[in-house]
Each structure stands twice: as C-alpha cells, then as structure tokens.
C-alpha cells in the first residue's frame, strides 16, 4: 500500500486550523467512501487557496489505495494528527519594537528582525507594506535572496508609490497592487513572511524611520500560523479574487 494517502491526510491536519479541521472530520464522518457525492461537492466548494485541489488529491488517493475505508476512518486519522499537533505547540511569538526600548520585557529591534527573516528564506518571500522608502539594507537583502533562488512577492499600496523603493530590483521581484484605487480599500498590512516558517508582523511600514526610529511594535510568528498567513496573502493575488493585480 502506498503512503500517499497518509501523507495527504497529515498535510491537511497540519494546514487547517482547529475549527476547519473539525469541519473536515464532520464531513468525512458522513461519507460512505471516496465516491461519496456529498463530500465531493463540499470539497469542490472550498475557497481557501489550494484547499479544493488538496482535498481532491486526498480523495483520489483514498479511491486508489483504500477504497474500502469509510470516511469515519479518515476522520479518526485526522483526529490523531490534531492531537499530535496539540502536543507539539508552535514556537512562542517574540516581541519586536522600533524606537526606544524599555526594561519591561526583552525585545528585538524591527530593523534587525526584518533582515533576519529575509535571510531565513530559502524558497519564497511574501512582503506587504503600505509605504516603503529609505530601506537600502532591505533592498540589498532582497537582491541577495533572489541570487540564491528565492522568489519574492511584494504586495504594495500604489497610492504611496511604495514600489519606487524596490526599483533597482527590476524583475527579481513580483509587485502586486490593489485593483481598487479608491479610498475605500488600502493595502495597509505590514508583513514579511519567509517560506512558511517565519513571519514578522507589526505596525512598521518598510521605511527607514519605521524600522529604526518610530515607536512601533510587532511580533515574530513561527509555525503553522505562518502557512495560513501566506495562504491568505497569496489568495489575495489570485486573478479570480480581483483584489490585487501584478504590475
């Protein structure tokens, strides 16, 4: 028997937050087998980035490798994955600040953390910022990341001309702007996500003052939450959402 079905179930168990995993288990409990039409329709209707495809792959492997198993057996397997995940909690978040530091709690400075996160990427970076300028060190790190084969998506607010800060990178990065250029919706997120393992979230834009001098706060996020954050940001860039467009 191939191990593809267990691997696909494990991937779903790691990806989905607890409430979504519970919903999947409930749907599987109602499925007699891989050909169950109700489960097929539910799986095809899932909107999260790549989830419908992931569920289809799981259903195909189920049909090919263990068609005799009822959905309740797969639901039980997912329950075991969820229990194991609870036993290995994600690494705790760390606090990050710009500007003055206090003796209240140990923190790291935004400027150095931003560089560390970019350097930790081996495959992909997803970066979002409302404004960007005066960030020569960040641009240098992105150029170095591109040289080692890292693909970078920059989600930037067009009204602030943030893209100018990255002009020297040319085709080394992919830039995305909101399709809605009215004041009703701005791209206000500030994120640097490396692969699916580490992300810097905070109030600081990618500007020299925000990274060093302004009073800003943020956190370093690690573990499964990063993957879900990356999935959301990449979903924003999908053509069918109509939310962001490539420059």
């Amino acid at each position: 028997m191939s191990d593809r079905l267990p691997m696909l179930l494990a991937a779903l168990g790691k990806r989905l937050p607890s409430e979504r995993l519970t919903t999947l288990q409930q749907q599987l409990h109602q499925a007699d087998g891989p050909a169950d039409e109700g489960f097929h329709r539910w799986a095809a209707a899932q909107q999260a980035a790549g989830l419908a495809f992931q569920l289809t792959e799981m259903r195909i492997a189920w049909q090919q490798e263990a068609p005799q198993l009822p959905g309740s057996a797969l639901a039980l397997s997912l329950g075991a994955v969820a229990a194991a995940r609870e036993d290995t909690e994600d690494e705790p978040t760390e606090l990050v600040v710009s500007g003055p530091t206090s003796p209240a709690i140990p923190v790291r400075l935004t400027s150095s953390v931003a560089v560390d996160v970019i350097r930790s990427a081996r495959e992909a970076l997803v970066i979002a910022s409302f404004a960007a300028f005066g960030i020569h060190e960040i641009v240098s790190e992105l150029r170095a990341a591109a040289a080692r084969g890292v693909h970078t998506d920059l989600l930037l607010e067009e009204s602030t001309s943030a893209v100018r800060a990255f002009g020297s990178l040319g085709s080394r990065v992919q830039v995305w702007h909101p399709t809605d250029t009215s004041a009703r919706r701005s791209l206000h997120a500030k994120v640097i996500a490396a692969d699916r393992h580490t992300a810097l979230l905070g109030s600081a834009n990618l500007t020299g003052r925000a990274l060093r001098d302004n009073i800003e706060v943020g956190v370093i996020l690690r573990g499964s939450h990063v993957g879900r954050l990356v999935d959301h940001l990449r979903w924003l860039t999908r053509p069918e959402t109509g939310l962001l467009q490539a420059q």
Side-chain angles (χ1 to χ4, degrees):
M1 178 177 173
S2 170
D3 60 357
R4 187 161 171 263
L5 178 58
M7 288 178 62
L8 291 168
L9 288 169
L12 284 164
K14 290 178 180 179
R15 169 185 177 165
L16 296 175
S18 298
E19 66 275 13
R20 300 282 297 279
L21 189 59
T22 298
T23 300
L24 173 56
Q25 289 177 277
Q26 291 170 344
Q27 292 294 324
L28 284 168
H29 271 297
Q30 298 171 23
D32 294 327
D36 186 271
E37 283 299 320
F39 181 77
H40 174 64
R41 287 192 298 272
W42 174 83
Q46 298 310 297
Q47 296 298 312
L51 182 56
F53 176 81
Q54 207 170 347
L55 290 167
T56 298
E57 289 293 290
M58 183 271 289
R59 194 169 60 86
I60 292 171
W62 183 9
Q63 178 67 57
Q64 293 175 344
E65 298 175 11
Q68 76 283 0
L69 291 180
S72 57
L74 273 62
L76 183 62
S77 297
L78 285 171
V81 172
R85 186 173 69 182
E86 291 176 0
D87 289 339
T88 55
E89 293 290 338
D90 288 338
E91 295 182 53
T93 56
E94 295 180 52
L95 295 177
V96 180
V97 302
S98 299
T101 59
S102 76
I105 42 178
V107 293
R108 297 180 63 191
L109 296 177
T110 308
S111 55
S112 62
V113 171
V115 168
D116 286 348
V117 173
I118 293 171
R119 287 178 178 174
S120 73
R122 291 296 173 264
E123 297 180 2
L125 285 160
V126 181
I127 298 175
S129 189
F130 177 75
F133 55 85
I135 48 169
H136 305 297
E137 186 176 18
I138 296 295
V139 171
S140 294
E141 290 298 336
L142 292 178
R143 186 177 293 108
R148 62 178 183 270
V150 175
H151 174 80
T152 298
D153 286 295
L154 295 174
L155 284 55
L156 303 173
E157 173 60 30
E158 190 170 14
S159 65
T160 64
S161 300
V163 68
R164 293 179 182 175
F166 307 96
S168 65
L169 294 173
S171 60
R172 295 181 182 91
V173 296
Q174 175 64 66
V175 176
W176 302 86
H177 284 147
T179 55
D180 181 0
T181 57
S182 71
R184 292 188 301 109
R185 181 189 295 134
S186 298
L187 197 159
H188 210 251
K190 293 94 175 178
V191 178
I192 302 176
D195 300 323
R196 300 174 66 85
H197 55 71
T198 308
L200 168 62
L201 290 75
S203 61
N205 283 300
L206 286 178
T207 70
R209 289 187 61 185
L211 294 178
R212 291 185 293 272
D213 303 322
N214 291 351
I215 297 176
E216 310 275 3
V217 294
V219 294
I220 308 170
L221 192 66
R222 296 186 176 89
S224 61
H225 296 299
V226 178
R228 294 198 289 274
L229 172 62
V230 169
D231 286 342
H232 173 70
L233 295 174
R234 293 203 181 284
W235 174 82
L236 295 173
T237 69
R238 290 170 58 180
E240 58 267 32
T241 68
L243 296 172
L244 297 178
Q245 58 188 351
Q247 177 177 296

